[in-house]
Amino acid sequence: MPSRTPATHALAETVARLRAENETLRAEAARHSLLDRATGLIAGRLGCDVNRALAHLRQLAAEDGRDPVETAAALLDGAGLRAVGLAEDPSLLDSARYVRRDAGTAVAYLPGPEVGAGGVGSAAAGAFAASTDVDALAGEVLEHLAGPAGVDAVMIMAVQPDGSLQSVGTAGVPARVVGAWQRLPPHLGTAVTACVRLGREIWLPDLAAARRRYTLIGDPEDIWSSRVWIPVRAAGPDSRMVAGIGVFWREPHRCDIATRRVVRAHAEAAGVRLVDLLARGQDAPGSWTLAAQVVLDMLPGACAVLAPIRDSGDRITDYRIEAASQEAADLSGRRGRELVGLRVLEAYPTIVDGPLWAAYEQVLQDGQPREVGPFPYTEMVRGSAVDTTLSVQVHRWGAALLIRWVRHDVRDQHASRLAYTERLGALGWVEWDLTNGTMEWSPTLYRIFERATSAGPASLEDVAGLVVPDDLPVVEQGLAEIAARRRTDMTLRIRLPGGVRWLRVVGEAVPDITGAPVKIYGIMQDVTAAERTTRELAALRDGASESQRLVAAERRILRRLHALVLPPTGEPVPLPGLVVTVRSGSDGADGGWYDLRTLPDGRSVVAVGEVADHGLAAAAAIAALRGVVAADSDPTADPAELLDRLNRWSLRNPSAGHGSALVGLYDPADGGFTWAQAGQPAPVHRGVDGEKLAVRRPSGPLLGVRDTPAYRMERLVLRPGESLLLPADSVALGLAAEGSRGDA
């Protein structure tokens, strides 16, 4: 053999490297192909987008503790699709495997191998047709799976009408486990509960991981290390969940693809037979509890059915609650169906070796009912002892017990609450037995009618004699409704020594089997205070409506008067060398005012202010103040003198109240603005660029406050492009040199 040259050696290494890289790329492509095909399968089955399907696939892989590619291959294999790169079974190449048939009873959240489609599914298809009951079916499933899959036990749980699960068939399951887990309430977090609720397989190969997620059947003993639950659906359009088939291994099991294929195929085939058996009523081992629950749902009070749990020597070791009434409750706050499935010793350990525990055993032995109590009972609730007093009646129900209990503290509490409710609500009840004419009143009803309890309930005639005559037709109508077996609700007045009271009366009749009324139940509530309040509010609403009409009329008058007294606003007002913009927030009812006028010498007087009053009085004061400005605006007057004259008018007319004002004198020759104020803010002076310029505010008190006020003046120059803002509460004046606009 010729030796390799360095070039040949390098070429061989390159070829080997490229071959390895190619194999890696092919393997990676196969992985992506599996993931893509499984994702598409899930998206099609669940009706979701690809992203959600991929997230669902990864969630399934995480739950099973496997690589997503392995989960994808299992899904494709279970759906009868070729898992490229991972196929080992030659039957995968058989075209018949991919021919879809009517699934009938679906047993997985994604369909597995179809029954009769070849391979394992075909072999299992007719294996269970001869099963005569569910127990026999479970045994045959175990027999078929013990060899190829190494299965050690099978358990079948049927879905009950109340949502619970009932053990209807087992094989290889110890008797003590069957007794302890005969019935699973819907709120118990078991794997089979999740299986039938979600409609998908639950594979739990790892015991520690399974315990972290679920309450496991068989715990706390380490009976089975691995398990799977597969759902069974009914045939037909509804496809409702009817059962879950559980398969168990004592030793840890990998649950690889081959195992899943075999288990799924046999579970599917068994599911077809199981649906038929359940439909024919072959679930008798636990059906009595359903009847018990139906009966208890109709019973008042706190009731429960207890099933004894026995050991291998047939000794009673505990009791399990199989059914509970809606009013049943314990001191921990669990009510109704929440009690179903609890073991007595675990939930209520303090009754052991007590009189109640002994009564349970005695009633089961001789069948004679017994009543225990009242007796003190203590229960630990969240680490604290809670005490109560109980009375318990015990009856035998077949091989179980029917118990009914009363909490005396609760009964006393109910009576106390009823009394408080009647007193706080000012209501009482009446019960009238029409068969013998007797009537019963509650204590509060005697107080409402100001009647002594020793006098007994008042007759219908006596009550009618107290009704205000105008309300007698209301009473007659209410009685006619009761006679017609309708509920009545009426409000009427009665006249009592303490005055007239308003009563709300609600009543209805209870008929016998012929439809004739035999009893009348009624509630009477004293609604006098509410009726008085309602009538007072109605009177206030009427008065308020009238006041609103008067106010609206006054505002219309004020708006008209305002338009007559003050010049219109909105459009700029030209003055010599000056443009004035007026903005007013007043609707005519406020006290804002202004005045603009030109003197004979070309200068302009600008005034703005507020009067303290509102409405018509404010309008009169505004007209008077503007008249003072108009009369006293002579060429020799300055702003301080004008304010002094306005102050004297205010002193002569105290009804007008105090006021504020700013008066300015503008000279267009040099742009000078001389001004004085009486309780008004200083003008805002802005330059050409909009910057705010400093303005000194002279002193000056409000109008009508002092007899001899000292009003000072200041002067500023308003150059072209600059502006002044003279603000008041409800009106503002913007001044700008001619050629620019004011900022009001």
Side-chain angles (χ1 to χ4, degrees), residues 591 593 610-613 616-632 641-661 702-709 711:
W593 65 276
E610 295 280 341
V611 296
D613 216 335
L616 294 175
I622 290 172
L625 291 173
R626 294 188 73 246
V628 172
V629 173
D632 295 333
E641 292 177 359
L642 287 176
L643 284 179
D644 188 66
R645 295 168 186 172
L646 292 174
N647 182 68
R648 288 199 298 271
W649 181 90
S650 298
L651 291 173
R652 291 193 302 269
N653 298 273
S655 60
H658 305 310
S660 62
L702 289 169
L703 301 177
V705 175
R706 299 180 183 176
D707 293 337
T708 57
Y711 294 107

Side-chain angles (χ1 to χ4, degrees), residues 79-126:
L81 302 176
R82 183 181 181 185
V84 179
L86 295 177
E88 299 175 0
D89 188 347
S91 65
L92 292 175
L93 303 178
D94 188 350
S95 62
R97 181 181 182 87
Y98 305 101
V99 177
R100 306 303 295 173
R101 291 179 172 86
D102 184 2
T105 301
V107 297
Y109 77 105
L110 289 176
E114 301 299 330
V115 176
V120 177
S122 178

